[in-house]
Amino acid sequence: MASRNFQWELLAAYLTLTLALIHLVEANSEGDALYALRRSLSVPDHVLQSWDPTLVNPCTWFHVTCNQDNRVTRVDLGNSNLSGHLAPELGKLEHLQYLELYKNNIQGTIPSELANLKSLISLDLYNNNLTGKIPTSLGKLKSLVFLRLNDNQLTGPIPRELTKIPSLKVVDVSSNDLCGTIPTGGPFEHIPLQNFENNSRLEGPELIGLASYDTNCN
């Protein structure tokens, strides 16, 4: 009987160690993703001083919030005097809900890998210097509620894939260089037109059944 109890205790200890190692690996991968962002940005010395890649758990870093399982759920770096570009490794933060990088001087394109953030609720990249097109892959973000990309230099059409996000409540793409027509389907039915203003090549709401989807817009 004592031997059997020892075996059960040994098995329980093994399972506990295995789960701990899994959490350690996950924490390390999230830390690697965040540090990739750190390397892609130029930041004032004090802002990301705590982002130390030698620390196992990024949940101790400033501007990072984690849940009770020590998975990263928020990155809050709005209005932090950042420049540089967005790292595609951000797409590895599987539990991220809020990506707040507004009011900086971030350049380059929006990585299509952000579509892997299945838990994302808020994507706030407004007031930067982002260029290129809005990735069509963002239509995969089925938990997204807030999409604010205004005051950048984005070009191309507004992806119709975004109309397939049922949770989407706020879209603001004003003050860019977008072209084509404004979607009117799905959640876009309730987005005010002012959220599309100051795009000189944007023609207005699409006419359902008439427009061929922005084929000449780039």
Side-chain angles (χ1 to χ4, degrees):
M1 186 69 178
S3 175
R4 181 173 297 179
N5 286 339
F6 176 75
Q7 289 176 342
W8 279 112
E9 290 173 0
L10 190 62
L11 178 61
Y14 173 76
L15 291 174
T16 300
L17 179 60
T18 300
L19 288 173
L21 288 173
I22 289 172
H23 281 298
L24 181 62
V25 170
E26 290 174 342
N28 278 335
S29 65
E30 292 193 328
D32 290 344
L34 288 172
Y35 200 69
L37 174 65
R38 169 68 182 86
R39 292 195 307 270
S40 72
L41 295 172
S42 176
V43 300
D45 290 339
H46 65 283
V47 174
L48 298 181
Q49 192 171 7
S50 65
W51 287 33
D52 184 349
T54 64
L55 298 177
V56 171
N57 193 341
C59 299
T60 61
W61 299 357
F62 291 158
H63 311 289
V64 174
T65 303
C66 294
N67 61 18
Q68 59 186 6
D69 297 319
N70 286 331
R71 304 304 300 271
V72 175
T73 58
R74 292 187 68 111
V75 175
D76 289 291
L77 286 168
N79 200 21
S80 297
N81 197 26
L82 308 178
S83 57
H85 62 275
L86 299 176
E89 288 85 352
L90 283 172
K92 297 178 180 179
L93 300 174
E94 296 179 358
H95 296 264
L96 191 68
Q97 296 178 330
Y98 296 87
L99 182 56
E100 307 296 325
L101 293 168
Y102 55 87
K103 292 185 179 179
N104 285 293
N105 190 31
I106 299 172
Q107 301 171 333
T109 59
I110 299 173
S112 60
E113 289 83 357
L114 295 187
N116 296 325
L117 303 176
K118 304 302 184 183
S119 301
L120 197 65
I121 294 172
S122 178
L123 179 58
D124 281 330
L125 303 177
Y126 61 89
N127 281 104
N128 278 287
N129 284 303
L130 295 169
T131 55
K133 295 183 178 181
I134 300 172
T136 58
S137 59
L138 296 186
K140 297 178 182 179
L141 299 175
K142 300 305 182 184
S143 298
L144 195 65
V145 178
F146 305 99
L147 177 62
R148 288 177 279 233
L149 306 175
N150 49 290
D151 294 277
N152 280 287
Q153 300 176 43
L154 299 170
T155 56
I158 300 170
R160 267 38 180 188
E161 287 80 1
L162 299 177
T163 67
K164 307 300 183 183
I165 304 177
S167 57
L168 199 56
K169 301 295 183 186
V170 175
V171 177
D172 195 340
V173 293
S174 59
S175 300
N176 279 286
D177 189 27
L178 301 175
C179 55
T181 56
I182 299 170
T184 56
F188 281 79
E189 181 181 355
H190 304 291
I191 304 298
L193 287 177
Q194 67 190 37
N195 290 16
F196 305 95
E197 290 179 346
N198 298 320
N199 286 280
S200 60
R201 298 191 296 148
L202 207 55
E203 299 172 7
E206 66 183 350
L207 300 175
I208 301 298
L210 293 181
S212 59
Y213 164 52
D214 301 330
T215 54
N216 297 319
C217 170
N218 52 52

